[in-house]
Amino acid sequence: MRTPAELSAPGKAFVAGEYSVLEHGEPALVLAVDVRLHAQLRELSGGAVELRHGPTGASLRGEIGLDGLTWTSGIPGELRFAARAAGLAAKLCAEERREPRGFAATFQDDLSRDGRKLGLGGSAASSVLAVRFTCASQGRAPQPREEMTMAAAAHWVEQGGRGSGADVAACASGGLIEVRVRHPWPAPDDLLRLRARDLLRFSPLDVRPVPVPAGLRFLLAWTGEPADSRALVGSVLAFAKARPGRWTHHVRALSGTESALRAALERNDEAAMLEAVRRAAAALGALGDEAQVPIVTQEIARACAIASSAGAAGKPSGAGGGDCAIVLAWGEAGDRARSALQVAGYHALEVAPAVA
């Protein structure tokens, strides 16, 4: 690495299976989107390391050596996922006895548009990007699965041992993917004690690409009401623990809609795809009602109704609770849905599948 390098990773949007994927072996569909997180990488002398979050100016300093990466300053919240991921990547390079090389990386944006945070997986994308630029600085090109595993492990640790990692998998893999968690991660402290090479053999994420039919369009509609995804997921998991039988019922319903949507995509069946999206929205609403968690808010339900009236189909994307809906449409129905959503006061953005 002799000159500054520009690196990027895509954001993500859940298409189906947001909650069912929390159960081992159950699927989710996740889309890597063409709203990207960017970073600039440059060399530093010796073993000095600097991370900087451009939008806020938050920064972090450390040293990389034969034993990996040590942070010598406090870790700001804006950089905590990247710091953890960079540390795991540096650990792998140290185990491979690579000569430590100092570097500086600056995140140039934060997956926002016009000052609006879009909820497109900034922490997941920054974890992937941190693995990417740390390895690049040490002269190593990680395989896609290695990159995904280290980023997902770092993300898991920083989330306190929660989440599926499906969002990280999308940012690392690109395109539209189906993700399943085959077995649990170790507890965060146990995971951090593993050698990096052992961690790479342990990855619980099973990922396979799903075709995107020609003419299919993806829209995201933001309500302007931010959601606390971590709190929503925590409330749903509390319901799952208290009512395991009912949780299993809802998981089966959500998994069924995900499987129906994936099958419709694979056979290019427009009517079945739209019906599967609407069924997925209803299944999320049923889970929220029984768990007493506001997954489908009035504004999200209204966005979905507007999409349906335009000949498209919408559902909450992610944990729900406000935030955004994802709308799937074919051809001109996408234009009608976007126009109607914008007239109704939503921030509507068309996105496309992105490469990693």
Side-chain angles (χ1 to χ4, degrees):
M1 186 184 66
R2 297 179 179 276
T3 57
E6 296 283 346
L7 302 173
S8 70
K12 61 78 193 170
F14 272 94
V15 179
E18 292 90 335
Y19 283 100
S20 55
V21 75
L22 296 171
E23 197 70 22
H24 299 148
E26 301 298 337
L29 281 175
V30 197
L31 179 71
V33 303
D34 58 348
V35 181
R36 303 183 72 89
L37 183 67
H38 300 85
Q40 185 179 66
L41 177 65
R42 60 186 176 86
E43 292 181 349
L44 291 182
S45 61
V49 174
E50 294 180 5
L51 299 187
R52 185 172 181 273
H53 184 256
T56 63
S59 62
L60 172 62
R61 292 179 175 81
E63 292 285 335
I64 189 166
L66 296 175
D67 294 325
L69 180 54
T70 301
W71 298 114
T72 56
S73 66
I75 300 175
E78 298 91 337
L79 292 169
R80 67 187 183 93
F81 287 93
R84 182 71 68 183
L88 287 182
K91 185 177 182 180
L92 176 65
C93 293
E95 289 175 7
E96 295 176 344
R97 301 183 183 278
R98 294 179 179 272
E99 180 184 355
R101 300 176 183 175
F103 66 93
T106 299
F107 290 96
Q108 297 172 302
D109 46 53
D110 57 0
L111 292 181
S112 64
R113 288 284 177 89
D114 302 324
R116 183 195 298 262
K117 280 290 191 75
L118 300 180
L120 294 177
S123 62
S126 67
S127 298
V128 170
L129 198 46
V131 170
R132 195 169 289 171
F133 62 58
T134 301
C135 286
S137 71
Q138 307 308 302
R140 192 187 195 282
Q143 296 298 313
R145 187 165 183 82
E146 293 177 327
E147 189 175 83
M148 176 185 71
T149 298
M150 286 187 287
H155 201 260
W156 166 263
V157 169
E158 284 303 310
Q159 285 191 312
R162 285 186 175 179
S164 66
D167 47 358
V168 179
C171 296
S173 302
L176 178 63
I177 59 171
E178 185 176 66
V179 184
R180 298 175 193 264
V181 182
R182 292 300 184 186
H183 55 77
W185 289 105
D189 289 344
D190 293 335
L191 186 153
L192 292 174
R193 282 192 286 267
L194 288 174
R195 294 188 307 169
R197 287 173 291 181
D198 293 335
L199 175 63
L200 293 180
R201 290 193 288 267
F202 187 83
S203 178
L205 298 176
D206 181 22
V207 175
R208 73 181 186 96
V210 175
V212 177
L216 175 60
R217 299 169 66 180
F218 298 92
L219 307 175
L220 295 172
W222 280 272
T223 66
E225 299 174 5
D228 187 341
S229 297
R230 186 169 181 174
L232 289 162
V233 171
S235 296
V236 169
L237 290 177
F239 165 76
K241 184 176 180 180
R243 301 285 303 281
R246 295 304 299 162
W247 167 243
T248 298
H249 164 79
H250 288 292
V251 167
R252 287 174 179 167
L254 291 166
S255 293
T257 60
E258 188 277 348
S259 296
L261 178 54
R262 188 243 313 137
L265 290 166
E266 290 176 337
R267 65 176 185 270
N268 201 4
D269 186 332
E270 177 180 347
M273 183 206 71
L274 296 176
E275 176 60 22
V277 172
R278 293 175 184 133
R279 283 176 51 207
L284 284 168
L287 170 61
D289 289 345
E290 187 163 1
Q292 297 185 332
V293 177
I295 295 173
V296 183
T297 63
Q298 285 187 339
E299 284 301 300
I300 287 291
R302 180 166 166 256
C304 294
I306 291 170
S308 288
S309 68
K315 58 174 288 296
S317 180
D323 214 4
C324 86
I326 186 166
V327 174
L328 278 67
W330 294 81
E332 293 181 358
D335 295 326
R336 293 194 298 270
R338 182 173 56 185
S339 177
L341 287 163
Q342 289 172 338
V343 168
Y346 295 89
H347 177 69
L349 173 70
E350 183 163 0
V351 294
V355 298

